[in-house]
Amino acid sequence: MDIQPNDILTMKKSHPCGENKMLVLRSGADFRVRCVKCSREFIITRNRLEKNVKNIIKPI
């Protein structure tokens, strides 16, 4: 999967705040993502992230 910083990911499951869109801040073996609604940042492994992504929205 080609996931780059500034991409917005639509996840299969939503964050506890109710939003299912995440902004990618850093990519590599681990990803740092930020919830679009509540701005909570967290680190997630590549395997777990790629398994839970439904759609990738690329910036223009």
Side-chain angles (χ1 to χ4, degrees):
M1 227 179 241
D2 184 33
I3 301 173
Q4 301 294 324
N6 295 322
D7 288 350
I8 295 178
L9 307 175
T10 305
M11 308 300 278
K12 291 179 183 175
K13 293 184 178 180
S14 62
H15 189 249
C17 72
E19 184 64 47
N20 67 343
K21 289 184 175 53
M22 304 289 167
L23 173 67
V24 178
L25 301 175
R26 182 176 66 86
S27 63
D30 293 331
F31 285 88
R32 170 169 249 129
V33 295
R34 178 185 295 153
C35 178
V36 173
K37 183 176 180 181
C38 68
S39 299
R40 172 71 60 112
E41 292 183 12
F42 54 95
I43 297 174
I44 186 169
T45 62
R46 179 177 285 275
N47 291 338
R48 183 172 283 212
L49 183 87
E50 288 181 351
K51 185 174 88 172
N52 292 323
V53 170
K54 182 191 271 186
N55 190 14
I56 302 171
I57 302 169
K58 298 282 185 184
I60 297 175

